[in-house]
Amino acid sequence: MARKFFVGGNWKCNGTTEEVKKIVATLNDGQVPSADIVEVVVSPPYIFLPVVQSLLKPDFHVAAQNCWVKKGGAFTGEVSAEMLVNLGIPWVILGHSERRALLNESNEFVGDKVAYALSQGLKVIACVGETLEQRESGSTLEVVAAQTKAIADRVTSWENIVVAYEPVWAIGTGKVASPAQAQEVHNELRKWLHANVSPDVASTTRIIYGGSVSGANCKELAGNPDVDGFLVGGASLKPEFIDIIKAAEVEKKA
Ligand code: PGA
């Protein structure tokens, strides 16, 4: 079952109007594989979503970096899924580790957000991943399974979910997971989906890797059979993001 390579760019809390316009221009000019080969989604801060969406070439799409857990209303400072839909924003990133850690978003809360966003018609990049302490204590698989289960318990379809495996120790640290480490967790996550959701969901759901992905390491990571793309932070603000998109053409190892 072919899973289309997916490359997300998470711009986090970065940029000015001038800077985001420059990034978009670089993206629009980049020579990249066609949209049948790779799906590209960039995620600027909320406030720049409309300008980025209006300037980006139609092959590329945008994602919000978060949205509220339920219908909008008296929730100061939040942005609802309905508002994103109203603006024609197709995607949202949920469960990023920076929010899980700094804002205490629990597995259950993230699961609720994923379910609500899907119910409103958004597509979701759902992030999971272990801390260094959890990896060193041997609980990586248990942690990512619990994070995935909290989503699985609340959704009825996985059609509009991309799972991003992002080990916390690899995010923004320059310490990328080795291709073998990434492949191992992606394969285990796929087995978890097979056993706990369905064989079809396991074979069709894209599991992308995030954490210090760069132009230099993306090809080797992309060669792994269970690595279906990337969620890129720092490097998504730079011209090397084009090289990362090109990793969609790397042949998979058997
Ligand atoms: P990084 O961030 O590529 O800067 O490590 C990845 C992410 O947080 O999505």
Side-chain angles (χ1 to χ4, degrees):
M1 170 64 66
R3 295 180 295 267
K4 194 197 284 187
F5 205 80
F6 184 103
V7 180
N10 177 8
W11 297 0
K12 308 192 180 184
C13 188
N14 288 296
T16 60
T17 307
E18 294 69 35
E19 283 163 357
V20 302
K21 284 183 179 166
K22 245 171 103 178
I23 298 170
V24 171
T26 305
L27 282 175
N28 287 348
D29 289 346
Q31 296 297 309
V32 297
S34 74
D36 329 327
I37 310 235
V38 63
E39 185 165 7
V40 178
V41 176
V42 295
S43 189
Y46 284 133
I47 200 159
F48 299 127
L49 277 167
V51 65
V52 171
Q53 165 143 286
S54 70
L55 297 174
L56 205 56
K57 65 179 181 183
D59 273 5
F60 293 173
H61 295 104
V62 290
Q65 295 175 16
N66 179 43
C67 66
W68 184 231
V69 65
K70 56 186 170 187
K71 191 171 159 54
F75 305 106
T76 303
E78 292 295 339
V79 170
S80 70
E82 293 87 344
M83 292 169 191
L84 298 177
V85 171
N86 178 247
L87 287 184
I89 308 301
W91 286 91
V92 62
I93 298 173
L94 294 172
H96 192 279
S97 68
E98 285 154 12
R99 299 190 62 86
R100 289 182 188 262
L102 298 172
L103 303 166
N104 289 319
E105 292 195 1
S106 67
N107 291 354
E108 294 68 31
F109 187 66
V110 172
D112 286 342
K113 281 193 184 187
V114 172
Y116 190 73
L118 291 175
S119 79
Q120 297 307 300
L122 291 170
K123 298 191 251 192
V124 174
I125 301 166
C127 305
V128 300
E130 81 289 0
T131 62
L132 184 59
E133 200 184 11
Q134 289 164 334
R135 174 161 284 262
E136 285 175 346
S137 71
S139 56
T140 297
L141 299 175
E142 199 184 306
V143 169
V144 297
Q147 291 167 335
T148 310
K149 182 176 188 300
I151 296 167
D153 285 347
R154 290 166 172 79
V155 305
T156 48
S157 166
W158 283 73
E159 208 177 316
N160 290 325
I161 303 179
V162 168
V163 177
Y165 168 58
E166 299 203 296
V168 178
W169 48 270
I171 294 179
T173 57
K175 208 175 148 199
V176 65
S178 70
Q181 283 173 323
Q183 168 59 23
E184 185 196 8
V185 179
H186 285 225
N187 183 252
E188 290 293 338
L189 273 171
R190 209 176 293 292
K191 284 197 223 158
W192 189 93
L193 290 172
H194 191 280
N196 297 282
V197 182
S198 76
D200 182 54
V201 164
S203 69
T204 55
T205 301
R206 287 168 295 178
I207 305 176
I208 63 176
Y209 168 80
S212 296
V213 175
S214 69
N217 61 32
C218 62
K219 287 204 174 122
E220 215 192 328
L221 286 160
N224 287 286
D226 289 298
V227 175
D228 304 317
F230 301 116
L231 184 56
V232 185
S236 71
L237 300 163
K238 302 181 190 155
E240 73 184 283
F241 190 59
I242 300 291
D243 298 320
I244 300 172
I245 298 171
K246 287 184 188 157
E249 283 177 328
V250 170
E251 250 183 70
K252 293 284 178 206
K253 290 188 283 194

